[in-house]
Amino acid sequence: MVVGIMIFQETKLKGVFIIKPDQKEDERGPFTRTFFSQNEFRDHGLNATIVQSDISYIRPKGTFRGMHFQTPPFDEDKIVSCCNGAILDYIVDLRVESPTFKDWFKIELSSDNGYSVYIPKSFAHGFYTLCPNAHVVYQLTGYHHPEHAWGFRFDDPAFDITVPTEITNLTEKDRNYPDLYLLPSESDHAWK
């Protein structure tokens, strides 16, 4: 079985791409390549030097995880997919100079659609589980540095993020992030 190319579709947030697989199926079931060559990502101007891969196992439906990012110099690009179940994936533009600064985008990622999303540096990320037992895969271009891990609440009034139904599970850490007051220049961000 030969699997074709991946389809890269840029979103309204410049640099954020939906990656759609060219899924093939036979009598055994579907087969999808989850990562092609680094050259294919580079052809779209994307960094795909993956150095770490993580899986988040979320048991309850209605869990919100996020909004998270790492600060410089340890900020990272990531490719996120859902290999079991389904999530709504949320991305927020934190680039002060961007015309879409503070705008957000959401997309359903699921084991059924096989979509991934490429999230560059200077974006926050979070997700909401649409079913129990969701497994979310992260492929990262940087290593985790807990001292540079930061975030803001999903309901921070600066962003007006909405979820489809009630959040039934939110960690104490995610619940208690302060409002993210973004100041005029990137060097003056509130998280520094």
Side-chain angles (χ1 to χ4, degrees):
M1 179 183 323
V2 177
V3 177
I5 63 168
M6 297 179 113
I7 300 159
F8 290 75
Q9 178 185 339
E10 193 163 23
T11 69
K12 70 177 187 174
L13 304 177
K14 187 167 178 55
V16 175
F17 283 81
I18 301 165
I19 305 168
K20 299 178 180 181
D22 180 20
Q23 191 171 38
K24 302 296 182 190
E25 189 165 349
D26 62 20
E27 62 277 359
R28 297 168 291 182
F31 182 86
T32 301
R33 185 167 291 154
T34 59
F35 187 83
F36 273 59
S37 71
Q38 289 184 358
N39 290 339
E40 189 169 4
F41 281 79
R42 279 192 210 108
D43 288 348
H44 291 86
L46 309 177
N47 177 13
T49 307
I50 304 302
V51 299
Q52 183 173 318
S53 187
D54 302 323
I55 299 179
S56 177
Y57 300 94
I58 305 292
R59 291 185 187 94
K61 175 183 177 180
T63 295
F64 198 98
R65 183 180 178 117
M67 299 296 297
H68 301 150
F69 56 94
Q70 277 195 174
T71 60
F74 299 109
D75 45 348
E76 61 198 1
D77 306 302
K78 60 185 69 131
I79 302 166
V80 179
S81 58
C82 183
C83 64
N84 190 66
I87 63 170
L88 281 180
D89 204 67
Y90 291 82
I91 301 108
V92 176
D93 188 350
L94 298 180
R95 300 170 300 173
V96 174
E97 305 301 323
S98 169
T100 56
F101 172 57
K102 297 200 294 186
D103 285 355
W104 57 275
F105 169 80
K106 73 178 176 186
I107 182 170
E108 183 173 324
L109 304 178
S110 70
S111 51
D112 287 340
N113 68 24
Y115 293 178
S116 299
V117 64
Y118 180 91
I119 307 166
K121 297 172 183 172
S122 301
F123 286 81
H125 172 256
F127 63 84
Y128 174 83
T129 57
L130 295 170
C131 63
N133 299 312
H135 300 171
V136 181
V137 178
Y138 297 80
Q139 296 177 53
L140 308 162
T141 63
Y143 296 104
H144 181 64
H145 290 272
E147 67 281 7
H148 286 268
W150 196 253
F152 56 89
R153 292 186 328 276
F154 80 94
D155 61 352
D156 184 322
F159 304 102
D160 197 29
I161 292 172
T162 58
V163 294
T165 59
E166 180 184 1
I167 292 175
T168 59
N169 188 24
L170 185 67
T171 66
E172 201 61 33
K173 181 179 178 180
D174 285 349
R175 182 180 295 115
N176 290 319
Y177 275 126
D179 286 348
L180 184 66
Y181 294 105
L182 296 172
L183 303 175
S185 77
E186 288 189 19
S187 62
D188 294 329
H189 283 294
W191 57 77
K192 292 222 175 194

